[in-house]
Amino acid sequence: MSKRNPYIRKLPMDWWMKQLFYTKYMIREGSSVFVTLYSLILAWGVFRLSQGEVAFNGWLDALQSPFAILLHIIMLILALYHTITWFSLAPKAADLWVKGKKLDEKVIIAAHYCTFVVVTVFCLLIITL
Amino acid sequence: MSELTVEIDILRYRPELDSEPFTQTFEVPYTPELSVLEALQYIKDHLDSSISFRWSCRMAICGSCGMMVNGVPKLGCKVFLRDYYPKKVSLEPLANFPIERDLVVVMDDFIQKLESVKPYIIPGENKCLSEGPYQQTPEQMAKYKQYSMCINCGLCYAACPQYALDKKFTGPAALALLARYNRDSRDNGEAQRMKIVNQEEGVWGCTFVGYCSVVCPKDVDPAAAIQLLKVESSKDYLIGMFKPD
Ligand code: SF4
Ligand code: FES
């Protein structure tokens, strides 16, 4: 008679706290909630702009509150975290071959950062000029 | 001469005796060149002959000796006591697999997944023998070589939370194996395999945790294989919208 009786372990609820790699992954995933939140705040601003100057200034004033500033700092940190972690993963989704050799990961990551800087400077110019 | 020793915790499970696994601690003489697998062999030879674990090649090529070493999927023969000394070493059977006995897991599901991706060359037109072999340039081989280095150890499945949460997910090694054949210039089975790729249990079950590629002892980089297949799957979808067949 077979004595087999395979034992199936349960996945603990806090599986993602037990390994730093998983925790970082969860923060990366969670950061998208804050990125979405920021986009909504921004979209709300555009909507208020369409309603005229008073409405838009009201929106600007609301952003001056300590809570709004704190929230923005958190959102900025998480957006940067999201960006950095995705950039470092980007080479895995790129299949670029030059002269029969796979393009070096560093080149792909560097290209992402360059684009990031160029776009940021471009946006800053539009906003400030 | 006082001998240096190291403590090793082993998660044990004897199906005929135990209703659930328990931890047993052993004390093993420490030398820096001792691998975890050799430490297990020491335990089996000198301390407790009932302990079960799998191994064969002792040189990271057969893929039999996968286990959790201090919570991380590793090959027992490729990891050494010196990597942990003087800390305790804890050994558990590979995560996400049912435990057969002690450090031995049931790998049936993993093997079935490997088989499910049509892991063989599907030629387009059968060439006549007189036309000679199917040839391939080094560049054509480079496109898939990395994905052909898998030793079927299952470490990537133990590292994958998506597989842990949903056993239907095809998983890292099987999808890397699928990519290996799709990327082979001699193969013509891509259309058949894309059906497997496009499913929810195919590449879209992956949320790009990326730990599979970290633990892989052969640098197969299954996470990259899957992300590239996602690109292919998206292309397939877009083309299908305009040219349904
Ligand atoms: S892809 Fe790597 S970790 Fe996964 S089974 Fe193959 S060799 Fe092992
Ligand atoms: S014994 Fe073969 S891989 Fe470890």
Side-chain angles (χ1 to χ4, degrees):
Chain A
M1 199 189 82
S2 167
K3 298 215 170 79
R4 287 193 69 189
N5 184 19
Y7 183 87
I8 297 178
R9 288 162 284 179
K10 276 207 189 65
L11 189 70
M13 282 291 282
D14 60 346
W15 61 269
W16 55 277
M17 309 265 284
K18 301 208 161 148
Q19 186 72 45
L20 185 62
F21 197 95
Y22 293 146
T23 314
K24 285 190 187 160
Y25 156 77
M26 284 305 242
I27 298 174
R28 190 187 88 205
E29 294 288 282
S31 64
S32 47
V33 174
F34 288 85
V35 174
T36 313
L37 190 63
Y38 182 67
S39 328
L40 289 176
I41 295 176
L42 218 55
W44 182 245
V46 175
F47 174 66
R48 296 300 268 169
L49 187 63
S50 74
Q51 291 177 325
E53 204 181 330
V54 184
F56 184 67
N57 284 337
W59 178 75
L60 278 182
D61 280 344
L63 294 187
Q64 311 286 326
S65 78
F67 173 73
I69 290 171
L70 183 70
L71 185 67
H72 276 75
I73 291 173
I74 296 172
M75 288 188 299
L76 178 66
I77 292 170
L78 285 170
L80 282 173
Y81 181 82
H82 197 89
T83 310
I84 293 166
T85 47
W86 270 114
F87 281 7
S88 67
L89 286 171
K92 293 210 189 301
D95 198 21
L96 302 169
W97 294 72
V98 183
K99 294 197 191 118
K101 281 226 169 66
K102 200 164 180 174
L103 202 63
D104 193 345
E105 295 208 340
K106 289 194 202 90
V107 178
I108 299 171
I109 297 176
H112 274 78
Y113 277 102
C114 287
T115 319
F116 178 55
V117 170
V118 169
V119 172
T120 308
V121 170
F122 180 73
C123 290
L124 279 176
L125 284 178
I126 291 186
I127 295 165
T128 48
L129 289 185
Chain B
M1 194 183 89
S2 75
E3 249 190 6
L4 298 175
T5 60
V6 62
E7 274 189 312
I8 300 186
D9 276 351
I10 300 179
L11 192 72
R12 301 211 55 184
Y13 174 63
R14 299 156 304 175
E16 69 282 10
L17 296 171
D18 311 322
S19 57
E20 57 179 50
F22 66 98
T23 304
Q24 192 177 349
T25 308
F26 298 93
E27 205 165 312
V28 172
Y30 170 79
T31 54
E33 60 273 14
L34 209 65
S35 70
V36 164
L37 178 65
E38 285 167 313
L40 279 168
Q41 286 166 329
Y42 179 89
I43 295 171
K44 191 162 176 85
D45 288 346
H46 300 282
L47 306 175
D48 186 341
S49 62
S50 74
I51 196 128
S52 296
F53 52 96
R54 278 194 183 121
W55 61 281
S56 175
C57 70
R58 303 177 266 94
M59 50 197 276
I61 203 63
C62 73
S64 320
C65 65
M67 61 188 79
M68 307 301 285
V69 183
N70 288 6
V72 179
K74 300 254 185 203
L75 294 178
C77 65
K78 204 175 178 244
V79 65
F80 294 85
L81 293 185
R82 61 170 179 268
D83 302 334
Y84 302 93
Y85 188 79
K87 275 199 243 122
K88 215 178 191 177
V89 178
S90 109
L91 305 179
E92 288 183 18
L94 273 186
N96 305 339
F97 291 98
I99 309 177
E100 181 74 56
R101 170 185 295 274
D102 297 339
L103 298 174
V104 176
V105 292
V106 183
M107 293 201 111
D108 299 3
D109 183 52
F110 173 63
I111 304 295
Q112 264 162 28
K113 293 208 156 121
L114 290 175
E115 286 172 352
S116 74
V117 300
K118 299 183 194 280
Y120 36 81
I121 285 180
I122 302 174
E125 284 166 56
N126 276 322
K127 279 210 305 191
C128 179
L129 212 55
S130 63
E131 288 172 75
Y134 293 91
Q135 289 194 327
Q136 194 164 54
T137 65
E139 265 124 68
Q140 286 171 325
M141 191 174 110
K143 295 261 178 190
Y144 70 83
K145 180 151 184 255
Q146 176 185 12
Y147 303 134
S148 72
M149 302 307 280
C150 174
I151 57 170
N152 304 346
C153 62
L155 300 197
C156 49
Y157 282 68
C160 176
Q162 289 306 321
Y163 181 64
L165 294 164
D166 180 7
K167 294 286 178 298
K168 286 208 279 303
F169 176 41
T170 309
L175 288 167
L177 185 65
L178 187 150
R180 175 252 172 276
Y181 284 96
N182 268 9
R183 295 167 73 90
D184 192 317
S185 58
R186 299 162 297 179
D187 179 83
N188 231 308
E190 183 165 0
Q192 295 178 38
R193 291 194 202 92
M194 282 317 281
K195 294 205 179 83
I196 304 165
V197 171
N198 294 342
Q199 298 168 50
E200 186 70 40
E201 306 89 69
V203 288
W204 301 107
C206 164
T207 53
F208 206 174
V209 180
Y211 201 38
C212 53
S213 292
V214 176
V215 303
C216 175
K218 292 286 152 189
D219 290 326
V220 173
D221 204 350
I226 297 174
Q227 305 327 304
L228 295 178
L229 283 173
K230 281 183 187 167
V231 176
E232 292 306 312
S233 177
S234 310
K235 277 195 218 155
D236 216 44
Y237 178 73
L238 282 178
I239 294 170
M241 283 205 324
F242 297 109
K243 290 204 316 208
D245 44 35

